[in-house]
Amino acid sequence: MNSFVYQGLASRVVFGWGRLDSLTEELDKLDARRALILTTPEQHHLGERVAAILDERAAGVYPEAVMHVPVEVARAAREEAARLDADCCVAIGGGSTIGLGKAIALESGLPILAVPTTYAGSEMTPIYGLTENRLKKTGRDFRVLPKTVIYDPQLTLTLPAAISACSGMNAMAHAVEALYAQDANPIISLMAEESIRALAEALPGVVANPENAEARSRALYGAWLAGICLGSVGMAIHHKLCHTLGGTFNLPHAQAHAVVLPHAAHYNREAAAEPLRRAARALGGQEADEVGPLIFALNQKLGIPVSLAEIGLPMEGPAETARIACSSPYYNPRPFEQRAIEALLTRAWQGLGPA
């Protein structure tokens, strides 16, 4: 057996239908008295619901989270937390909201209680991202890892089927890349394979019937495992390309991940053949070169856009993205090859399957 290092992450996870009602109990465990509640403008109503549960322990609702956490938004949120004398943040929503909580924690050290309503996975990671001058920069700092995460599948019932599908495939990307990460280890690989299997089985049920409680719960379970993968090992070419597409072109995060994933996996089919066989088995196949086409077919089944052009990437986007990504590449089992990556992105821009 190859040598490995496994570092567990210290988060308390509370999973179950209706567990949002345990918020005050979880704040007690954090010794927190005054919580700033973070949401996006669209989920302001959820923030108000949390405020009603917390009553006098709610410092206020701050509904200003946006995609990719622009530095000016992060700065304003930190100032608001200080003004309201908050001693913790309750971030309820998806990756944008939890990312804003992390931006506050990065400088203030305020603990985060995360309540994810999508499948993004950010809640299980010490990874943060900030965007400035069209470039998204990520970092890793254990101050931004949420102390407690409440997974309440009931909160995902109102997540539209189309967003559920994209968010779920975003989660699957974390698990796929964990299998061939530079610091992959047996524990995380087990979680990754189980995550891929759970998401591939659950997401069609969620799309067919968004109120399917069993499918919703299993999808959130798969997303939780994917989040652990994302927080525990490094990512590779897929995440580098998606960070570039998001930071430079402001593409919607989950949709970009869903479109790029089959192509990125296919790029690594020979260099990461054994890890990708595990992904293939979880998807109902056998061999590494089936993973990209199987994910592409799953995207189609879920009704996800398969073209980067459809979600806003201009014609010059593939070439510029390839250039930027290759100028500061992440680890990847296959070296970054600018011409091949531009070709990969061009196929993704056109909506063609991986080749």
Side-chain angles (χ1 to χ4, degrees):
M1 178 176 282
N2 294 330
S3 60
F4 64 88
V5 174
Y6 169 68
Q7 174 66 58
L9 299 178
S11 289
R12 174 177 168 83
V13 173
V14 179
F15 193 108
W17 199 267
R19 291 307 297 266
L20 182 65
D21 290 339
S22 65
L23 258 173
T24 53
E25 177 185 336
E26 295 305 321
L27 278 189
D28 289 341
K29 288 181 168 60
L30 291 174
D31 291 324
R33 57 175 178 78
R34 194 167 167 79
L36 177 63
I37 302 158
L38 306 174
T39 74
T40 61
E42 296 77 14
Q43 292 187 302
H44 193 176
H45 65 285
L46 274 180
E48 296 296 342
R49 180 176 169 187
V50 168
I53 293 171
L54 295 183
D55 198 14
E56 74 276 2
R57 297 172 71 174
V61 178
Y62 191 74
E64 305 297 336
V66 294
M67 284 194 310
H68 308 304
V69 196
V71 291
E72 58 274 15
V73 173
R75 188 178 304 116
R78 285 194 293 266
E79 291 171 355
E80 183 69 357
R83 186 184 72 81
L84 293 172
D85 191 30
D87 63 357
C88 77
C89 292
V90 173
I92 182 165
S96 299
T97 300
I98 293 165
L100 183 58
K102 289 180 172 186
I104 295 171
L106 184 63
E107 291 198 4
S108 68
L110 293 187
I112 302 167
L113 191 160
V115 187
T117 61
T118 71
Y119 309 130
S122 174
E123 67 279 355
M124 292 305 300
T125 81
I127 301 166
Y128 64 89
L130 293 166
T131 300
E132 185 174 18
N133 297 326
R134 298 178 69 229
L135 289 177
K136 185 172 184 177
K137 296 180 181 179
T138 62
R140 182 179 288 260
D141 192 310
F142 284 100
R143 287 178 297 177
V144 309
L145 178 69
K147 303 295 184 187
T148 302
V149 183
I150 296 176
Y151 286 101
D152 184 343
Q154 190 171 17
L155 295 174
T156 67
L157 288 177
T158 57
L159 190 66
I163 298 175
S164 298
C166 293
S167 184
M169 295 309 294
N170 176 22
M172 188 182 290
H174 309 329
V176 169
E177 292 225 300
L179 289 169
Y180 51 68
Q182 186 173 21
D183 50 352
N185 64 73
I187 297 297
I188 295 303
S189 293
L190 285 169
M191 291 184 178
E193 188 172 345
E194 172 71 355
S195 171
I196 295 166
R197 183 175 294 108
L199 288 164
E201 291 173 354
L203 291 174
V206 169
V207 170
N209 177 12
E211 295 185 4
N212 183 328
E214 184 177 347
R216 286 289 190 183
S217 297
R218 186 151 174 76
L220 196 59
Y221 163 74
W224 165 56
L225 292 174
I228 296 175
C229 293
L230 177 64
S232 301
V233 296
M235 296 287 109
I237 187 171
H238 169 84
H239 282 75
K240 180 62 182 183
L241 295 179
C242 290
H243 289 160
T244 305
L245 289 167
T248 304
F249 296 100
N250 200 36
L251 261 59
H253 181 84
Q255 288 89 333
H257 274 272
V259 175
V260 171
L261 180 58
H263 300 275
H266 202 65
Y267 183 87
N268 285 327
R269 65 194 181 280
E270 294 178 2
E274 191 54 43
L276 283 171
R277 285 192 189 99
R278 298 185 70 156
R281 289 194 294 271
L283 291 163
Q286 291 294 326
E287 298 301 327
D289 61 3
E290 295 178 85
V291 174
L294 283 169
I295 294 173
F296 187 81
L298 180 57
N299 280 346
Q300 291 177 307
K301 183 177 183 178
L302 297 175
I304 291 172
V306 294
S307 161
L308 289 175
E310 189 177 342
I311 62 172
L313 188 68
M315 185 179 295
E316 67 276 12
E320 187 174 355
T321 301
R323 179 187 60 77
I324 294 171
C326 290
S327 69
S328 58
Y330 292 177
Y331 163 81
N332 193 61
R334 174 182 171 182
F336 277 54
E337 300 167 16
Q338 186 168 337
R339 185 172 296 178
I341 292 170
E342 182 177 342
L344 170 166
L345 289 166
T346 299
R347 290 189 70 84
W349 186 81
Q350 294 171 332
L352 302 175

